[in-house]
Amino acid sequence: MSKILIVEDEETIADLEKDYLEMSDYTVTIKTDGKSGLDAALTEDFDLLILDLMLPEVDGYEICKQVREKKDIPIIMVSAKKDDIDKIRGLGLGADDYMTKPFSPSELVARVKAHLTRYERLVSSNQKSNDIIEIRGLKIDKTARRVYIDGEEKNFTTKEFDLLTFLAENPNHVYTKDELFREIWDMDSIGDIATVTVHIKKIREKIEYDSSKPQYIETIWGVGYRFKV
Ligand code: CA
């Protein structure tokens, strides 16, 4: 369920917007001054912001600017004056949409829906690209479970892949062989920490230019290994 923040000092308008949005199953929070609105927008987790322009304490221009520096959620700006809308557009504050009051609440709901759909698509495509880890010439495709060095695919066993991916996802953290064994191998699997050493050696042969001077997986003598970035 998407969460929406309304920053609006005219409470009757805010309440009307809230009623319509709640009828469409959105969770709505109202802030009636600019300062608490800005605080909420920056510190709480909202999926969309409906922002009035003229507000006590901190105005909508400033809120829009500050929120945009930190978050990429859709921002719909509303104002009583058509001239103001033109001005906001001109300022390029990064709002996604503009509406002039009075507007029909169902028009607002329609625009909210459209922006949230677009935003969710954006977020999920970003998540997809997170399934690729790229560090210098090394590329790990977690979805396809493939590893490439300078564009050339290297064959990895399941455990080699799991071990490399785990280390690459937790860079600069030193893990003992014991920790890695527990992380990658099942508790009841046959083997011991020497298994880790063997796998690290095999991974290095595949990804390092020179296994004796590893640039990815570094040995921390007497402790374990870490992935360097
Ligand atoms: Ca106002």
Side-chain angles (χ1 to χ4, degrees):
M1 199 190 304
S2 297
K3 287 188 285 180
I4 296 170
L5 174 64
I6 297 172
V7 187
E8 169 66 72
D9 58 329
E10 286 170 76
E11 290 184 34
T12 51
I13 293 180
D15 288 340
L16 183 68
E17 292 173 357
K18 184 173 193 267
D19 288 347
Y20 269 78
L21 289 164
E22 284 179 345
M23 277 191 273
S24 296
D25 283 337
Y26 296 114
T27 304
V28 179
T29 301
I30 295 174
K31 297 290 176 189
T32 54
D33 69 84
K35 190 175 178 301
S36 61
L38 179 59
D39 283 351
L42 291 179
T43 58
E44 293 172 40
D45 225 9
F46 292 103
D47 301 296
L48 184 140
L49 173 59
I50 298 169
L51 183 58
D52 183 33
L53 185 60
M54 298 312 291
L55 291 161
E57 298 191 53
V58 183
D59 68 20
Y61 296 110
E62 186 59 29
I63 295 174
C64 186
K65 199 173 111 222
Q66 289 201 32
V67 171
R68 191 44 88 228
E69 282 170 8
K70 299 257 164 59
K71 305 203 171 192
D72 58 359
I73 57 168
I75 301 174
I76 300 177
M77 294 200 76
V78 298
S79 173
K81 284 191 260 168
K82 173 79 177 66
D83 290 355
D84 287 340
I85 300 289
D86 294 337
K87 195 173 154 199
I88 314 168
R89 279 183 199 276
L91 286 173
L93 294 172
D96 297 272
D97 207 350
Y98 312 89
M99 297 181 81
T100 312
K101 290 192 258 189
F103 47 77
S104 82
S106 47
E107 168 73 16
L108 177 70
V109 172
R111 293 206 195 182
V112 164
K113 268 187 193 151
H115 284 290
L116 282 173
T117 305
R118 197 181 306 156
Y119 181 61
E120 276 152 20
R121 216 181 300 136
L122 183 81
V123 169
S124 75
S125 73
N126 283 350
Q127 276 166 353
K128 269 186 210 131
S129 63
N130 286 346
D131 287 343
I132 306 266
I133 300 170
E134 275 190 289
I135 299 153
R136 298 184 293 273
L138 170 68
K139 179 173 156 187
I140 304 170
D141 182 336
K142 286 165 61 188
T143 310
R145 296 183 65 86
R146 287 166 181 231
V147 179
Y148 304 84
I149 285 288
D150 295 333
E152 188 192 331
E153 188 177 354
K154 304 285 175 178
N155 287 318
F156 272 66
T157 66
T158 303
K159 293 301 181 197
E160 287 166 6
F161 182 88
D162 291 344
L163 182 56
L164 173 64
T165 304
F166 176 75
L167 287 167
E169 283 185 322
N170 299 281
N172 296 327
H173 183 120
V174 180
Y175 290 98
T176 65
K177 290 174 189 173
D178 202 43
E179 283 170 331
L180 291 172
F181 186 74
R182 272 182 283 130
E183 186 66 40
I184 305 299
W185 280 267
D186 299 331
M187 293 300 276
D188 53 352
S189 66
I190 301 161
D192 55 40
I193 57 170
T195 313
V196 176
T197 315
V198 171
H199 278 74
I200 294 282
K201 183 168 178 287
K202 286 187 176 155
I203 293 169
R204 278 180 176 156
E205 283 166 5
K206 293 171 192 183
I207 66 168
E208 300 287 359
Y209 297 102
D210 179 353
S211 289
S212 66
K213 293 190 205 105
Q215 57 155 339
Y216 294 109
I217 301 174
E218 187 181 24
T219 301
I220 309 295
W221 292 109
V223 187
Y225 302 101
R226 80 165 170 187
F227 194 96
K228 283 196 288 188
V229 290

